[in-house]
Amino acid sequence: MGLALAVFFMTLVTGVYTFMEISALAAPEKVSVQVKEMEAPEEPETSEKEIIPEKTAEVKEEQERPLIVVDAGHGGEDSGCVGYGVYEKDINLQIAMRVKRRLEEQGFRVMMPRETDEFLSVEERVELANSYQADAYVSIHQNTYEGSDKSVNGIEMWYDGADGSRDNERLARLIHEETIRSTGANERVLWDIADLCVTNRTLMPACLIETGFLTNKEECRRLSTAEYQEKIAEGIVEGIELYFYSETEL
């Protein structure tokens, strides 16, 4: 009996220790899991879902701003008219760049078919404007008088008056009036019979401005100066602003 009782107690003690060892080995696993759950990083207060709509709104706002095509006539091998050593293509580009800068300062988007002395056909210019789905098209040129009277001077405007699907007349008239006002130049005819590719084949309201005569010595001199070019650019931009942001009637 004494031996049997001793064996019973030894078995009981061994079982208790075995159970404690198993429990001790299992316990750290549960603690580790609990610690990981407690230490999991919290989500940032501002999630990506909150940021994306804001960026989308900015892009949408940018896309809703009017897109203006400012087309510097001629270029490259096509010099346009020439007066007293001054090439039309150069004056056109200089004025167009000033118009571009002023428009962008006012929040407009601007596309220029050419920004350097390069040749582009009128068909290529129109195709670019239509592909960009522009909101208005303004072509900048200089004039020449073929007759003997070299005193002819002033600003002319051309547009397609036969196309009632586009608001060509209002765009042309506002730019014409504002450019006359800003420059003080002689006001010549506002032609509604423009049979020109850039005014006829564009899908948006379009006009062509002849800002002066290079065959007039004094006007040619003024057109070559930065000061007078800025006055022309001011008038063109003011006319475009009135076209888009006022209820001005014809």
Side-chain angles (χ1 to χ4, degrees):
M1 286 295 289
L3 180 60
L5 186 59
V7 170
F8 171 77
F9 278 114
M10 287 181 65
T11 303
L12 180 61
V13 171
T14 303
V16 170
Y17 275 107
T18 302
F19 174 79
M20 290 174 66
E21 287 175 358
I22 292 171
S23 298
L25 289 170
E29 237 179 80
K30 294 180 181 178
V31 172
S32 175
V33 171
Q34 290 174 354
V35 169
K36 287 180 181 178
E37 289 177 354
M38 290 174 63
E39 293 179 355
E42 295 181 1
E43 291 187 5
E45 293 183 4
T46 304
S47 65
E48 289 185 3
K49 292 182 179 180
E50 293 173 335
I51 295 174
I52 292 173
E54 184 179 344
K55 290 182 178 180
T56 303
E58 290 176 358
V59 171
K60 185 178 180 181
E61 182 183 355
E62 173 69 20
Q63 291 174 341
E64 287 176 350
R65 296 175 182 174
L67 173 61
I68 314 300
V69 175
V70 180
D71 181 14
H74 306 283
E77 62 198 49
D78 177 14
S79 63
C81 63
V82 183
Y84 303 97
V86 176
Y87 292 92
E88 178 186 356
K89 65 176 182 177
D90 297 331
I91 302 296
N92 293 343
L93 183 58
Q94 290 162 11
I95 293 173
M97 294 298 291
R98 296 178 190 280
V99 171
K100 176 180 184 291
R101 173 179 54 79
R102 283 176 173 267
L103 283 172
E104 289 176 339
E105 288 174 354
Q106 297 302 318
F108 288 91
R109 294 179 295 145
V110 180
M111 193 278 283
M112 291 182 63
R114 75 173 182 101
E115 295 189 47
T116 59
D117 184 18
E118 62 177 314
F119 174 79
L120 284 175
S121 69
V122 289
E123 291 80 10
E124 289 175 305
R125 297 166 194 254
V126 169
E127 184 179 348
L128 274 171
N130 291 342
S131 68
Y132 274 82
Q133 299 182 329
D135 298 293
Y137 188 109
V138 180
S139 186
I140 298 173
H141 286 260
Q142 309 306 307
N143 220 333
T144 185
Y145 188 71
E146 301 297 338
S148 59
D149 185 4
K150 301 306 180 184
S151 67
V152 175
N153 65 92
I155 293 175
E156 290 182 357
M157 184 69 71
W158 296 73
Y159 69 96
D160 180 6
D163 185 356
S165 66
R166 296 176 294 150
D167 200 3
N168 298 322
E169 183 178 359
R170 182 166 178 266
L171 176 66
R173 186 175 297 278
L174 288 171
I175 293 176
H176 185 65
E177 291 174 352
E178 292 303 314
T179 308
I180 295 296
R181 181 193 59 77
S182 65
T183 60
N186 179 39
E187 182 175 2
R188 291 180 59 83
V189 182
L190 183 67
W191 297 99
D192 64 352
I193 55 173
D195 186 18
L196 306 167
C197 183
V198 295
T199 55
N200 292 6
R201 298 186 189 178
T202 41
L203 300 178
M204 69 292 303
C207 63
L208 182 150
I209 183 171
E210 299 272 7
T211 67
F213 284 77
L214 295 184
T215 45
N216 180 296
K217 189 173 184 178
E218 177 56 28
E219 193 159 62
C220 179
R221 184 196 63 78
R222 286 200 306 270
L223 288 164
S224 303
T225 66
E227 181 182 3
Y228 192 70
Q229 290 177 8
E230 283 292 346
K231 290 180 179 179
I232 294 172
E234 176 188 343
I236 293 173
V237 171
E238 183 63 26
I240 292 171
E241 283 191 291
L242 287 172
Y243 177 82
F244 283 100
Y245 298 122
S246 79
E247 300 300 324
T248 305
E249 297 181 359
L250 294 174

